[in-house]
Amino acid sequence: MTVVIGFEGSANKIGVGIIRDGEVLSNPRRTYITPPGQGFLPGETAKHHRSVILTVLQEALDEAGLKAADIDCVAYTKGPGMGAPLVTVAIVARTVAQLWGKPLLGVNHCIGHIEMGRLITNSQNPTVLYVSGGNTQVIAYSERRYRIFGETIDIAVGNCLDRFARVIKVIIWLIALYVSVVFSVEDLSKSTKYIELPYTVKGMDVSFSGILSYIEDAAHKLLSTSQCTPEDLCFSLQETVFAMLVEITERAMAHCSSQEVLIVGGVGCNLRLQEMMGVMCKERGARLFATDESFCIDNGAMIAQAGWEMFRSGHVTELSDSWITQRYRTDEVEVTWRD
């Protein structure tokens, strides 16, 4: 049996997970929550991670019922992600590996999502839609690489939705049309009135910045003149960007002759995205695989699972090479653990 502990902290989540031969033994995490309407800054996020990471580590060991001697390898997120949080996690992982006398392994964050999704859903060779606050990619495995067939050329879909959620909250507050404790595009998308928005698919790639700029400019005018409701705008934005993602995913499936789709990343929790993708898959006679927020959202177990696969195929990161990188492409990693 091989036991791997994984440290994840590339953004506002800090998690430590332990995997033993495909079994999730523990997976605690914490979230850095900013004041309402604000994004999280790298320095403040790293400060949060430093304050809780040892507590989360102890929780992971306690939940798994293991001690340091039971761990075979220490995996950590090498990138991509935010620089300061990545450094925080890498330092702790390096320290733990040296104190415990265990090999160290740097893991690509995106591949962590893919391998966790494959494990939980038991999908075999899916076309992967990876959607989060920082990444938007359509990926398929070929010749020892996770190949990127399409991606955003500017901002990620999660970033687009989050930024509009903050905008709509400010506008709603200013014109006193609507008040709520929690604002998110998914929460406010319970509408059926569609407002036409730019639809930007360029070959296999997508662009969200223009859509965001357009709807930000239009929102105040449309709401203040009662031409639509906040729900209408959120519904329209969500339908438009998700339709774009379904389109490029289907095109990748056709190219690869794939009969499986796996949605991973934080935005993959969105039930409407899963529903739209499910319709497309049904029309093609394909299967859709998705997970809940336990594994869609960043977590330590996904790094442990990717580390488990890599470690068993001979990968180890020397201490001198255990740096981090904010830009780490999914297709840079040689996937030696798959046929």
Side-chain angles (χ1 to χ4, degrees), residues 309-325:
E309 296 278 12
M310 296 172 69
F311 182 63
R312 284 170 59 89
S313 65
H315 288 257
V316 171
T317 301
E318 296 297 328
L319 190 62
S320 58
D321 295 325
S322 60
W323 36 271
I324 61 97
T325 175

mmCIF file of all heavy atoms in Angstrom, residues 309-325:
data_model
loop_
_atom_site.group_PDB
_atom_site.id
_atom_site.type_symbol
_atom_site.label_atom_id
_atom_site.label_comp_id
_atom_site.label_asym_id
_atom_site.label_seq_id
_atom_site.Cartn_x
_atom_site.Cartn_y
_atom_site.Cartn_z
ATOM 1 N N GLU A 309 -0.339 8.813 -8.080
ATOM 2 C CA GLU A 309 -0.120 8.294 -9.432
ATOM 3 C C GLU A 309 1.323 8.547 -9.891
ATOM 4 O O GLU A 309 1.986 7.655 -10.446
ATOM 5 C CB GLU A 309 -1.088 8.959 -10.421
ATOM 6 C CG GLU A 309 -2.557 8.664 -10.174
ATOM 7 C CD GLU A 309 -2.999 7.320 -10.749
ATOM 8 O OE1 GLU A 309 -2.135 6.516 -11.136
ATOM 9 O OE2 GLU A 309 -4.218 7.092 -10.782
ATOM 10 N N MET A 310 1.814 9.754 -9.643
ATOM 11 C CA MET A 310 3.154 10.114 -10.091
ATOM 12 C C MET A 310 4.231 9.345 -9.323
ATOM 13 O O MET A 310 5.205 8.862 -9.904
ATOM 14 C CB MET A 310 3.356 11.628 -9.928
ATOM 15 C CG MET A 310 2.441 12.473 -10.796
ATOM 16 S SD MET A 310 2.530 14.249 -10.421
ATOM 17 C CE MET A 310 4.183 14.621 -11.014
ATOM 18 N N PHE A 311 4.045 9.242 -8.004
ATOM 19 C CA PHE A 311 5.041 8.573 -7.161
ATOM 20 C C PHE A 311 5.183 7.103 -7.543
ATOM 21 O O PHE A 311 6.299 6.573 -7.621
ATOM 22 C CB PHE A 311 4.643 8.710 -5.690
ATOM 23 C CG PHE A 311 5.619 8.112 -4.721
ATOM 24 C CD1 PHE A 311 6.915 8.602 -4.625
ATOM 25 C CD2 PHE A 311 5.252 7.052 -3.905
ATOM 26 C CE1 PHE A 311 7.829 8.052 -3.727
ATOM 27 C CE2 PHE A 311 6.142 6.494 -3.017
ATOM 28 C CZ PHE A 311 7.437 6.996 -2.921
ATOM 29 N N ARG A 312 4.061 6.451 -7.809
ATOM 30 C CA ARG A 312 4.101 5.034 -8.171
ATOM 31 C C ARG A 312 4.706 4.801 -9.555
ATOM 32 O O ARG A 312 5.128 3.681 -9.867
ATOM 33 C CB ARG A 312 2.695 4.449 -8.106
ATOM 34 C CG ARG A 312 2.224 4.206 -6.668
ATOM 35 C CD ARG A 312 0.763 3.850 -6.614
ATOM 36 N NE ARG A 312 0.446 2.652 -7.394
ATOM 37 C CZ ARG A 312 0.487 1.415 -6.906
ATOM 38 N NH1 ARG A 312 0.842 1.203 -5.650
ATOM 39 N NH2 ARG A 312 0.166 0.390 -7.678
ATOM 40 N N SER A 313 4.765 5.857 -10.369
ATOM 41 C CA SER A 313 5.380 5.713 -11.686
ATOM 42 C C SER A 313 6.818 6.238 -11.707
ATOM 43 O O SER A 313 7.413 6.386 -12.778
ATOM 44 C CB SER A 313 4.544 6.432 -12.750
ATOM 45 O OG SER A 313 4.523 7.830 -12.526
ATOM 46 N N GLY A 314 7.356 6.547 -10.523
ATOM 47 C CA GLY A 314 8.770 6.885 -10.420
ATOM 48 C C GLY A 314 9.112 8.355 -10.291
ATOM 49 O O GLY A 314 10.285 8.711 -10.258
ATOM 50 N N HIS A 315 8.122 9.218 -10.176
ATOM 51 C CA HIS A 315 8.387 10.652 -10.047
ATOM 52 C C HIS A 315 8.779 11.016 -8.615
ATOM 53 O O HIS A 315 8.156 10.562 -7.656
ATOM 54 C CB HIS A 315 7.145 11.476 -10.414
ATOM 55 C CG HIS A 315 6.822 11.489 -11.870
ATOM 56 N ND1 HIS A 315 7.105 12.551 -12.694
ATOM 57 C CD2 HIS A 315 6.247 10.552 -12.654
ATOM 58 C CE1 HIS A 315 6.698 12.282 -13.919
ATOM 59 N NE2 HIS A 315 6.167 11.069 -13.922
ATOM 60 N N VAL A 316 9.811 11.842 -8.482
ATOM 61 C CA VAL A 316 10.206 12.436 -7.202
ATOM 62 C C VAL A 316 10.796 13.810 -7.509
ATOM 63 O O VAL A 316 11.469 13.991 -8.530
ATOM 64 C CB VAL A 316 11.238 11.568 -6.448
ATOM 65 C CG1 VAL A 316 11.789 12.329 -5.246
ATOM 66 C CG2 VAL A 316 10.623 10.264 -5.978
ATOM 67 N N THR A 317 10.542 14.783 -6.652
ATOM 68 C CA THR A 317 11.093 16.131 -6.822
ATOM 69 C C THR A 317 12.237 16.331 -5.838
ATOM 70 O O THR A 317 12.046 16.219 -4.623
ATOM 71 C CB THR A 317 10.016 17.203 -6.571
ATOM 72 O OG1 THR A 317 8.930 17.005 -7.479
ATOM 73 C CG2 THR A 317 10.588 18.601 -6.766
ATOM 74 N N GLU A 318 13.414 16.603 -6.369
ATOM 75 C CA GLU A 318 14.560 16.868 -5.498
ATOM 76 C C GLU A 318 14.349 18.197 -4.781
ATOM 77 O O GLU A 318 13.688 19.109 -5.301
ATOM 78 C CB GLU A 318 15.852 16.920 -6.318
ATOM 79 C CG GLU A 318 16.209 15.604 -6.993
ATOM 80 C CD GLU A 318 16.467 14.486 -5.991
ATOM 81 O OE1 GLU A 318 16.965 14.790 -4.873
ATOM 82 O OE2 GLU A 318 16.176 13.322 -6.309
ATOM 83 N N LEU A 319 14.918 18.322 -3.605
ATOM 84 C CA LEU A 319 14.741 19.526 -2.803
ATOM 85 C C LEU A 319 15.180 20.773 -3.564
ATOM 86 O O LEU A 319 14.532 21.821 -3.500
ATOM 87 C CB LEU A 319 15.528 19.409 -1.492
ATOM 88 C CG LEU A 319 15.250 20.489 -0.447
ATOM 89 C CD1 LEU A 319 13.789 20.439 0.001
ATOM 90 C CD2 LEU A 319 16.191 20.323 0.749
ATOM 91 N N SER A 320 16.254 20.654 -4.327
ATOM 92 C CA SER A 320 16.764 21.798 -5.081
ATOM 93 C C SER A 320 15.826 22.222 -6.212
ATOM 94 O O SER A 320 15.917 23.338 -6.729
ATOM 95 C CB SER A 320 18.136 21.462 -5.677
ATOM 96 O OG SER A 320 18.058 20.322 -6.514
ATOM 97 N N ASP A 321 14.922 21.331 -6.605
ATOM 98 C CA ASP A 321 13.973 21.627 -7.679
ATOM 99 C C ASP A 321 12.562 21.891 -7.165
ATOM 100 O O ASP A 321 11.621 22.001 -7.954
ATOM 101 C CB ASP A 321 13.909 20.452 -8.666
ATOM 102 C CG ASP A 321 15.227 20.244 -9.395
ATOM 103 O OD1 ASP A 321 15.909 21.247 -9.678
ATOM 104 O OD2 ASP A 321 15.569 19.076 -9.673
ATOM 105 N N SER A 322 12.414 22.007 -5.848
ATOM 106 C CA SER A 322 11.070 22.115 -5.263
ATOM 107 C C SER A 322 10.591 23.562 -5.179
ATOM 108 O O SER A 322 10.139 24.027 -4.152
ATOM 109 C CB SER A 322 11.049 21.472 -3.873
ATOM 110 O OG SER A 322 11.974 22.108 -3.005
ATOM 111 N N TRP A 323 10.684 24.256 -6.314
ATOM 112 C CA TRP A 323 10.218 25.628 -6.381
ATOM 113 C C TRP A 323 8.757 25.635 -6.826
ATOM 114 O O TRP A 323 8.144 24.597 -7.074
ATOM 115 C CB TRP A 323 11.078 26.434 -7.361
ATOM 116 C CG TRP A 323 11.540 25.668 -8.563
ATOM 117 C CD1 TRP A 323 12.676 24.927 -8.687
ATOM 118 C CD2 TRP A 323 10.856 25.553 -9.817
ATOM 119 N NE1 TRP A 323 12.750 24.355 -9.935
ATOM 120 C CE2 TRP A 323 11.656 24.717 -10.648
ATOM 121 C CE3 TRP A 323 9.667 26.060 -10.324
ATOM 122 C CZ2 TRP A 323 11.291 24.386 -11.959
ATOM 123 C CZ3 TRP A 323 9.298 25.734 -11.625
ATOM 124 C CH2 TRP A 323 10.109 24.917 -12.420
ATOM 125 N N ILE A 324 8.189 26.817 -6.908
ATOM 126 C CA ILE A 324 6.807 26.949 -7.376
ATOM 127 C C ILE A 324 6.795 27.824 -8.621
ATOM 128 O O ILE A 324 7.763 28.535 -8.910
ATOM 129 C CB ILE A 324 5.879 27.556 -6.290
ATOM 130 C CG1 ILE A 324 6.339 28.978 -5.896
ATOM 131 C CG2 ILE A 324 5.843 26.653 -5.073
ATOM 132 C CD1 ILE A 324 5.648 30.111 -6.574
ATOM 133 N N THR A 325 5.717 27.758 -9.366
ATOM 134 C CA THR A 325 5.571 28.615 -10.533
ATOM 135 C C THR A 325 4.110 29.013 -10.680
ATOM 136 O O THR A 325 3.219 28.176 -10.544
ATOM 137 C CB THR A 325 6.058 27.930 -11.823
ATOM 138 O OG1 THR A 325 5.770 28.772 -12.944
ATOM 139 C CG2 THR A 325 5.389 26.581 -12.030
#
